[in-house]
């Protein structure tokens, strides 16, 4: 009221009952020059303006983007939240604990619910305990009749042969099975009565035994966590849990959860999302603004608070031309990655425009958007256009809904039309990319940004052998570069050498959302099998699709049996090889690699290829498109020139080249149009909503409050709300604090809160041992994020942590009152028992790396009251405030060394009753030294959160 700016609420053209904020009228000519992504931020600020969390000045700053970019911080209230299970479980545990705290303080726990729609996808629990190789190597693995392999599979669309089942009671007939094993002649038998149906589409699918075994292991290993998730889905409003074996968070987000335009009680607004997975950015390919954030920011949004970000620069990426028929999405992605990395887009929005954009399908766009964390951008945005609408029509969107969506987006000028005469938005800078210049590439052998043209692969690998050890080189002596190590495997002798491929994975990431590249892999496999080509049995092959939809169209198009024939059987639905969850290589192969000190290779169609990530003995890893993964698996080596050297020998001794079996673009389009249709998406949605048998039979409590099991080592009620009170208190002084850790520059969130395995000598391991667990049962820190006792003990437990008090990498520190060198947790525990507060001293860029909630929660539970650093990673600094830790910064050109600090002093800090943004405070040490620091609170909201003890306590008090 009283504002000169009044947003206009209008009826929507032919749909007068539909209402929306017509922000284009509020912004006028200035609005028309805004990038589309900034227009979404502007609409959100108008719709959520309350004078406190979102102020009128915030909205006007966004409207004045051209002048204010990179200079002001603005709030953003996304429409929804997406969680995956590893990062989602601590958020849900906090909500469960908040209910308990509100009840104990006299409030109504039923009121404690997420403030916005929140979808939690259980997709990070899958491990590849079984693969096709592992089952083949077992005696009579499936129990079915052994069959002799045939030279050639049935034509496209023909059903695989029927084999008798294992003779279960009540068997209805022969099982649908995969074709014969590529070597042993054994079939992968089914472990359920036939006919086996695709668990997501109720379509007959020859699903291998590996999937069912891995599913069984996943549910057994994670039963306690899954029961907690199911309880959450029952008792909390605005919570939806997507059960295991449905698909990955980012792909489910794309195929099932995306609205593009929200409609709540006939009120329309743009879909937008934040998620705890770095691949959340994939939805920007659908014109949905979204990116990955940390657990604390996600919880804040769930609690009804905005995400704060610096008003970003927006780089316009102009695409022109048409890509080569041989260039797949991965080639386009890696080419754009290279251009944008060189353009320095880190911390910026990227927005695509130009005639080339219409040449890209939505699947291509989402693949490109998915890669933006690799080139450092916050997100890569493709505004909604006719291509988007056509895609949504094919994926089952209601026609009336599409009409309303199009009308709304055009009314608020969020619809991009290539044929329109209106000028393009203004951008901070423009990067031009000609798609016609893109040729097939792979990426590696150690970093995703190191692209290698497929035609140059052989010579580039040779150069890597010669180069000194580093980002690309392996420094292999010239006389050893052609060494051959013979190895016996399954009764046959094979020869391994540098460049031999031992892992080939078409995995559950990026490309698998793109039907064309997956079908290309299948069609290539079909042609390869029909030509008589095989894959060597020791190569660890796997196919882990992003969702059942992929299995469905590979099966219905008839190519799945051919992939299976080459060893690419479906192993499960979830993150697997990409995150290092592949099964171990056969022992004979591992021994041969180590014996010859060979540079063995892995080839995968994902986004991560860090050295040693797939397996400790696989030192060279290449990212490639799915059809190239299959091609390299057939070749068995990366030391091949596809132009001049054959993949192998087919029937009648004929040499078969890649060009002989590479599918044409017309073939791909024909199959894609026939099989990738709206019915697949409809069936996928129906099955996802019904869940699966194991999930539906899983028992879970239905009480309003969660019945905490005191014996549980996975789920525990955290202590964040132990001091919950109705009124906030003034910031308390920090008196005579000891320094818990004295750290240097570039301390990452992984240093602070590791997510990997739990070391046997760690404080967390000691705790789990007292609970009766053996080292084999420790699992990982990531899996135990719902247990604050484990995660607090895991804080600063990284073996690479360099504490200046210790002088060498180790998760240790000194407890100064006693002089003992202890685990960080043990020292912190002693300080807390003695009533002594602790702080952390650090250098530049404290909190680098992926956003991780326990990197803030862990120090808080260790008793850390403040961090004093030279500079911070912005998101982590916000997380510290969000949990109740004060982020303090040395003045420019000052640090512990220039101030003569050793870290052995005690520090006292007094906060004034009325804090103000970036206020200067004085710190006094026990040696009498006094120096000034900056309290890095950027706005009144951050100061308010700190006074309340963090965002969790701030919101909990609102329920009182």
């Amino acid at each position: 009221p009283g504002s000169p700016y009044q947003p206009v609420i209008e009826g929507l053209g032919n749909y007068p009952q539909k209402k929306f904020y017509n922000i284009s009228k509020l912004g006028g000519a200035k609005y028309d020059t805004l990038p589309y992504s900034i227009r979404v931020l502007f609409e959100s600020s108008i719709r959520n303006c309350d004078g406190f969390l979102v102020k009128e000045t915030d909205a006007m700053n966004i409207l004045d983007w051209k002048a204010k970019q990179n200079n002001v911080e603005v709030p953003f209230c996304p429409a929804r939240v997406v969680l995956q299970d590893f990062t989602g479980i601590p958020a849900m545990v906090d909500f469960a604990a908040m209910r308990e705290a509100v009840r104990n303080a006299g409030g109504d726990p039923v009121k404690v619910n997420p403030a916005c729609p929140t979808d939690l996808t259980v997709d990070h629990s899958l491990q590849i305990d079984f693969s096709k190789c592992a089952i083949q190597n077992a005696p009579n693995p499936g129990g079915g009749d052994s069959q002799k392999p045939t030279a050639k599979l049935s034509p496209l669309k023909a059903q695989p042969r029927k084999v008798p089942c294992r003779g279960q009671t009540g068997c209805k007939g022969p099982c649908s099975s995969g074709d014969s094993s590529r070597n042993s002649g054994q079939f992968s038998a089914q472990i359920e009565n036939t006919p086996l149906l695709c668990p997501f589409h109720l379509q007959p699918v020859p699903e291998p035994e590996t999937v069912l075994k891995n599913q069984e292991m996943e549910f057994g290993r994670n039963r306690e966590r899954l029961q907690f998730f199911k309880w959450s889905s029952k008792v909390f409003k605005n919570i939806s849990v997507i059960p295991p074996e449905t698909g990955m968070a980012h792909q489910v987000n794309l195929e099932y959860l995306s609205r593009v335009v929200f409609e709540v009680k006939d009120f329309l607004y743009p879909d937008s999302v934040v998620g705890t997975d770095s691949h959340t950015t994939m939805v920007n390919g659908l014109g949905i603004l979204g990116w990955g954030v940390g657990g604390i920011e996600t919880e804040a949004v769930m609690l009804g608070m905005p995400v704060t970000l610096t008003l970003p620069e927006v780089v316009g990426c102009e695409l022109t031309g048409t890509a080569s028929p041989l260039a797949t999405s991965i080639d386009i992605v890696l080419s754009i990655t290279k251009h944008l990395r060189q353009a320095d887009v880190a911390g910026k929005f990227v927005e695509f425009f130009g005639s080339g954009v219409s040449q890209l399908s939505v699947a291509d766009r989402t693949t490109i958007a998915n890669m933006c964390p690799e080139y450092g951008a916050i997100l890569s945005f493709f505004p909604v256009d006719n291509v988007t609408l056509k895609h949504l029509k094919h994926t089952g969107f209601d026609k009336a809904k599409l009409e309303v969506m199009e009308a709304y987006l055009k009314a608020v000028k969020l619809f991009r039309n290539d044929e329109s005469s209106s000028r393009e938005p203004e951008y901070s800078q423009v990067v031009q990319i000609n798609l016609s210049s893109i040729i097939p590439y792979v990426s590696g052998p150690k970093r995703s940004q190191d692209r290698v043209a497929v035609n140059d692969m052989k010579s580039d690998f040779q150069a890597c052998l010669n180069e000194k050890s580093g980002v690309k080189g392996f420094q292999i002596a010239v006389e050893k570069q052609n060494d051959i190590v013979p190895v016996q495997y399954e009764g046959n002798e094979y020869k391994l050498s540098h460049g031999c491929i031992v892992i080939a994975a078409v995995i559950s990431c990026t490309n698998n959302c793109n039907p064309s590249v997956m079908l290309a892999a299948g069609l290539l496999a079909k042609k390869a099998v029909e030509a008589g080509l095989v894959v060597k049995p020791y190569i660890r092959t796997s196919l882990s699709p992003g969702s059942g939809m992929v299995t469905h169209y590979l099966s219905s198009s008839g190519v799945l049996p051919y992939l299976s024939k080459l060893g690419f059987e479906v192993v499960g639905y979830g993150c697997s090889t990409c995150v290092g969850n592949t099964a171990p290589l056969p022992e004979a192969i591992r021994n041969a690699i180590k014996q010859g000190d060979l540079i063995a290779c892995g080839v995968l169609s994902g986004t991560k290829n860090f050295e040693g990530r797939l397996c400790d003995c696989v030192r060279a890893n290449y990212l490639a498109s799915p059809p190239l993964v299959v091609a390299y698996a057939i070749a068995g080596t990366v030391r091949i020139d596809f132009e001049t050297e054959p993949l192998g020998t087919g029937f009648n001794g004929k040499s078969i080249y890649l060009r002989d079996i590479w599918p044409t673009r017309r073939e791909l389009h024909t199959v894609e149009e026939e099989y990738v249709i709206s019915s697949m998406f409809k069936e996928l949605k129906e099955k996802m909503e019904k869940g699966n048998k194991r999930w539906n039979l899983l028992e879970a409590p239905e009480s309003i409050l969660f019945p905490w099991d005191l014996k549980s080592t996975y789920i525990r009620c955290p202590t964040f709300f132990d001091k919950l009170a109705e009124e906030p208190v003034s910031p308390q002084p920090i008196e005579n604090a000891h320094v818990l850790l004295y750290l240097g520059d570039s301390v990452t969130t992984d240093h602070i809160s590791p997510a990997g395995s739990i070391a046997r000598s760690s404080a967390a391991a000691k705790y789990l041992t007292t609970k009766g667990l053996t080292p084999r049962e420790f699992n990982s820190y990531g899996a135990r994020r719902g247990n604050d006792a484990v995660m607090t003990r895991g804080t600063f437990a990284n073996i690479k942590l360099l504490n200046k008090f210790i002088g060498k990498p180790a998760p240790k520190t000194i407890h100064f009152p006693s002089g003992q060198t202890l685990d960080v947790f043990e020292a912190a525990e002693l300080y807390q028992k003695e009533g002594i507060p602790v702080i952390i001293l650090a250098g530049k860029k404290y909190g680098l790396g992926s956003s991780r909630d326990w990197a803030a929660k862990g120090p808080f539970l260790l008793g850390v009251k403040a961090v004093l650093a030279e500079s911070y990673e912005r998101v982590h600094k916000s997380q510290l405030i969000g949990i109740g830790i004060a982020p303090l910064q040395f003045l420019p050109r000052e640090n512990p060394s220039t101030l003569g600090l050793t870290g052995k002093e005690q520090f006292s800090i007094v906060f004034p009753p009325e804090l103000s943004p970036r206020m200067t405070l004085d710190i006094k040490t026990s040696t009498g030294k006094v120096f000034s620091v900056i309290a890095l609170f950027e706005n009144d909201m951050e100061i308010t959160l700190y006074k309340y003890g963090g965002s969790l306590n701030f919101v909990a008090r609102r329920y009182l």
Side-chain angles (χ1 to χ4, degrees), residues 172-384:
K172 299 177 182 177
C175 297
S176 293
S177 173
D179 204 275
S180 57
S181 160
R182 50 193 163 141
N183 295 288
S184 67
Q186 294 170 321
F187 283 83
S188 294
Q190 313 298 342
I191 67 174
E192 300 287 347
N193 288 340
T194 57
L196 182 65
L197 302 180
C198 169
F200 312 117
H201 303 93
L202 300 180
Q203 298 288 335
V205 173
E207 195 155 21
E209 184 178 2
T210 51
V211 172
L212 299 167
K213 283 181 172 288
N214 284 321
Q215 287 177 2
E216 187 175 350
M217 289 293 291
E218 180 178 2
F219 268 82
R221 181 186 291 118
N222 297 288
R223 177 171 298 275
E224 192 176 333
R225 295 166 61 235
L226 296 178
Q227 287 175 325
F228 176 76
F229 286 141
K230 193 162 187 179
W231 170 82
S232 299
S233 68
K234 288 181 176 182
V235 303
F236 288 111
K237 296 178 182 178
N238 273 340
I239 282 286
S240 174
V241 175
I242 312 299
E245 297 306 320
T246 303
M248 307 174 307
H250 39 295
Q251 191 142 351
V252 170
N253 186 20
L254 182 71
E255 294 176 11
Y256 176 64
L257 303 176
S258 295
R259 282 84 155 174
V260 184
V261 172
F262 257 83
E263 181 175 334
V264 179
K265 296 180 180 178
D266 284 334
F267 189 84
L268 305 172
Y269 55 94
D271 189 2
S272 57
V273 61
V274 293
T276 55
D277 190 286
S278 61
H279 298 291
T280 303
T281 53
M282 182 181 279
V283 296
N284 290 279
L286 268 180
I288 299 170
L289 195 72
W291 65 93
V293 297
I296 289 180
E297 296 100 312
T298 307
E299 282 189 54
V301 175
M302 293 168 67
L303 294 166
M305 294 161 45
V307 173
T308 301
L309 71 158
T310 301
L311 190 60
E313 296 180 42
V314 181
V315 177
C317 184
E318 183 178 14
L319 302 182
T320 59
T322 304
S324 160
L326 291 179
T328 64
S329 290
I330 195 68
D331 302 315
I332 297 172
V333 166
L334 294 177
S335 179
I336 291 176
T337 296
K338 178 182 178 182
H339 281 87
L340 293 178
R341 189 181 293 276
Q342 293 172 343
D344 185 24
V345 297
K348 303 173 185 178
F349 284 9
V350 174
E351 189 168 293
F352 291 85
F353 71 101
S355 59
V357 174
S358 61
Q359 305 297 319
L360 302 179
S361 68
V362 166
D364 293 330
R365 299 176 187 192
T366 54
T367 305
I368 294 167
N370 187 52
M371 284 291 283
C372 78
E374 307 303 321
Y375 46 81
I378 298 174
L379 56 86
S380 293
F381 191 71
F382 288 83
V384 176

Side-chain angles (χ1 to χ4, degrees), residues 91 130 157 168 377 389 478 535 660 667 685 699 846 855 943:
F130 301 94
K157 298 175 67 173
Q168 301 101 320
L389 294 181
V478 175
V535 173
D660 298 327
E667 287 176 305
K685 292 174 182 177
E699 295 183 356
Y846 181 79
I943 292 172

